[in-house]
Amino acid sequence: MTAGSGRRVALVAGGTSGLGLAIGRGLAEAGFAVALGGRRVELARREAEALPEALGVELNIVDSGSVAAAVAAARESLGPIDVVVLNGGGPPPSAATDLDLDAARAAAELLLHGPIGVLNHCLPSMRERSWGRVVAVGSSAVQQPIPGLATSSMYRTALASYLKLLAEECAPHGVTVNMVLPGRISTDRTAQLDAGAAQRTGRSVMEVRAASQATIPMRRYGTAAEFAAMGVFLCSDQARYVTGEQIRVDGGLVRAL
């Protein structure tokens, strides 16, 4: 996949590690200029230095001032933003019966309100220029809620509903809006969840991982690069007729049609 005709600029939230960084690297390889955003600004800058045309910016999506500053810095250095990748860390595990209201509010800021704030800064210029891509990194919990991850399941599903409505409104303006749903991808977040499950159940991390892999038809976790390939495609000019979709990259984990 390539950036298509003309030069394209992408802003990647949560771009300093894991799936966000993998997508950022994939976009850079495809010819996009990339702004890697993250709370760890020095890490964002170091990762950006390894890419052909990139910038590391401080970006905390639950802080409106940080969002405004990051978008302004990306525009000043790279030009108008054509692509937004919505990504970030997940909230702590929680069962539905143990849900703490303050924790739920914090998760809503991280998974729902924060992404909306980023798009409020970037969408108007995309619509004006009649070209844009929004790709959100979701979770398989959007289509099959995950026990023990109550707030993640709740608010990622809420974001999916918002993005579906947004896709219809933006389609006449040449802006596509899609969501990519990872299953069990080998990242630090997955390792943390496996370690937490091991501690709760008294099993070893290897036992937890083996049991998890057994639920996946491909019998393994995916790689960040495999996941990123779908994200890069949805950002490309070739994906101009794909919008309003939730695309799973999960090795067959979710059994839903």
Side-chain angles (χ1 to χ4, degrees), residues 136-162:
V137 176
S139 165
S140 60
V142 169
Q143 297 182 352
Q144 184 172 290
I146 300 173
L149 295 180
T151 51
S152 180
S153 299
M154 289 161 52
Y155 293 118
R156 292 190 194 280
T157 302
L159 180 64
S161 295
Y162 163 73

Side-chain angles (χ1 to χ4, degrees), residues 167-187:
E168 183 174 350
E169 295 175 15
C170 290
H173 303 278
V175 178
T176 67
V177 181
N178 293 287
M179 202 171 199
V180 189
L181 310 181
R184 303 290 284 177
I185 309 295
S186 290
T187 63

Side-chain angles (χ1 to χ4, degrees), residues 1-237:
M1 294 298 104
T2 64
S5 58
R7 179 176 173 277
R8 305 293 189 194
V9 176
L11 172 64
V12 182
T16 57
S17 62
L19 301 180
L21 178 58
I23 293 175
R25 288 171 173 168
L27 289 171
E29 184 177 340
F32 290 80
V34 179
L36 297 176
R39 289 173 296 178
R40 297 173 292 179
V41 64
E42 293 303 323
L43 178 58
R45 289 169 179 161
R46 287 200 301 272
E47 293 292 352
E49 288 175 358
L51 303 179
E53 185 180 8
L55 171 74
V57 295
E58 185 173 5
L59 174 57
N60 180 353
I61 65 172
V62 301
D63 181 335
S64 59
S66 174
V67 172
V71 171
R75 285 174 173 158
E76 182 178 355
S77 179
L78 301 176
I81 295 171
D82 303 290
V83 171
V84 174
V85 177
L86 298 172
N87 176 59
S94 60
T97 51
D98 300 327
L99 199 57
D100 176 79
L101 192 55
D102 289 335
R105 290 192 179 105
E109 286 296 309
L110 176 66
L111 300 178
L112 179 60
H113 303 151
I116 292 173
V118 174
L119 293 180
N120 284 345
H121 280 278
C122 298
L123 273 176
S125 65
M126 291 184 190
R127 287 160 58 99
E128 289 172 6
R129 290 179 286 111
S130 299
W131 201 98
R133 300 285 184 267
V134 176
V135 174
V137 176
S139 165
S140 60
V142 169
Q143 297 182 352
Q144 184 172 290
I146 300 173
L149 295 180
T151 51
S152 180
S153 299
M154 289 161 52
Y155 293 118
R156 292 190 194 280
T157 302
L159 180 64
S161 295
Y162 163 73
L163 294 175
K164 184 67 173 178
L165 294 168
L166 193 67
E168 183 174 350
E169 295 175 15
C170 290
H173 303 278
V175 178
T176 67
V177 181
N178 293 287
M179 202 171 199
V180 189
L181 310 181
R184 303 290 284 177
I185 309 295
S186 290
T187 63
D188 290 343
R189 167 73 169 172
T190 304
Q192 290 168 1
L193 293 174
D194 284 349
Q199 187 174 19
R200 289 192 305 272
T201 61
R203 295 181 293 172
S204 70
V205 172
M206 289 184 63
E207 288 173 325
V208 168
R209 186 180 178 99
S212 179
Q213 289 175 328
T215 67
I216 303 169
M218 287 192 172
R219 298 295 189 268
R220 67 175 178 87
Y221 288 177
T223 68
E226 288 170 329
F227 179 85
M230 179 58 71
V232 172
F233 167 68
L234 292 173
C235 293
S236 71
D237 195 51

